[in-house]
Amino acid sequence: DTAVSQTPKYLVTQMGNDKSIKCEQNLGHDTMYWYKQDSKKFLKIMFSYNNKELIINETVPNRFSPKSPDKAHLNLHINSLELGDSAVYFCASSQDARGQETQYFGPGTRLLVL
Amino acid sequence: GDSVTQMEGPVTLSEEAFLTINCTYTATGYPSLFWYVQYPGEGLQLLLKATKADDKGSNKGFEATYRKETTSFHLEKGSVQVSDSAVYFCALSDSSYKLIFGSGTRLLVRP
């Protein structure tokens, strides 16, 4: 069974479109995250939710809106996609928000904006 | 703010060679330190971690020791295999519980 799953795995779309990426974890964790990995492999946190409450919100354009309907799901909606949004987006989860907890990553969603 | 610096890659080694990937950090307080590995086309997996000074994390033959005096967490392995080829990320968790990653080091092991 996949611990952290994301859909879709690949997403190719036109500039200006709106798209969503879904994430689900079956580990019973309280905390979930979204990361963006650029073409140079640099990885940066975007958002984090703990028990469905937003606890980390980095400097991300407000075109990006996370939504957590329950503890097991954290979705990412992106409005008015731009070329610079092309990247790999990773979802992750951890038992709780304490810093020493291991984060478990999903396989990534490769987004290409044309 | 807190940051992680790791050596530029790619690092190319022959099988059975000794590996060191350097990682240094800047942080206020006492962060936890991690090494994550990303195999081609996959997400990141925890390789090892250390939560306090002088702790040694180890897994799959890899080791790293939390050195507060030198603010370092260098990754070592005595004998690398082709299957170790991947991108390795050093990371710290800061006082706001974020994971801050280094830029990643690509390792290529040749038979």
Side-chain angles (χ1 to χ4, degrees), chain B residues 1-67:
Chain B
D2 295 354
S3 65
V4 175
T5 302
Q6 56 183 113
M7 60 191 289
E8 294 266 342
V11 173
T12 304
L13 296 172
S14 297
E15 208 165 21
E16 299 184 3
F18 184 85
L19 168 71
T20 300
I21 300 178
N22 289 338
C23 171
T24 56
Y25 67 90
T26 302
T28 53
Y30 304 97
S32 294
L33 301 175
F34 304 81
W35 277 100
Y36 280 82
V37 58
Q38 185 178 27
Y39 297 102
E42 297 184 11
L44 279 73
Q45 306 172 23
L46 178 72
L47 183 59
L48 51 85
K49 69 180 182 181
T51 57
K52 61 183 188 298
D54 300 325
D55 270 2
K56 178 188 279 188
S58 61
N59 186 26
K60 300 181 182 178
F62 291 89
E63 292 183 341
T65 301
Y66 189 146
R67 300 281 188 209

Side-chain angles (χ1 to χ4, degrees), chain A residues 5-75:
Chain A
S5 59
Q6 298 179 224
T7 54
K9 191 169 183 180
Y10 300 97
L11 188 51
V12 181
T13 188
Q14 299 288 328
M15 239 178 4
N17 284 350
D18 303 338
K19 291 292 179 186
S20 291
I21 307 171
K22 296 187 175 182
C23 178
E24 176 180 3
Q25 54 95 3
N26 62 7
L27 298 167
H29 287 169
D30 287 343
T31 310
M32 296 185 73
Y33 312 81
W34 277 110
Y35 288 88
K36 179 180 180 181
Q37 186 176 46
D38 64 24
S39 58
K40 295 184 178 179
K41 297 289 189 182
F42 187 69
L43 201 67
K44 193 169 192 303
I45 190 164
M46 301 172 70
F47 302 102
S48 176
Y49 273 72
N50 187 55
N51 281 320
K52 302 194 299 174
E53 303 265 342
L54 181 66
I55 58 170
I56 295 174
N57 185 354
E58 288 295 279
T59 310
V60 176
N62 57 16
R63 298 182 294 104
F64 290 79
S65 52
K67 283 192 171 51
S68 183
D70 55 59
K71 284 198 318 182
H73 296 85
L74 180 61
N75 303 323

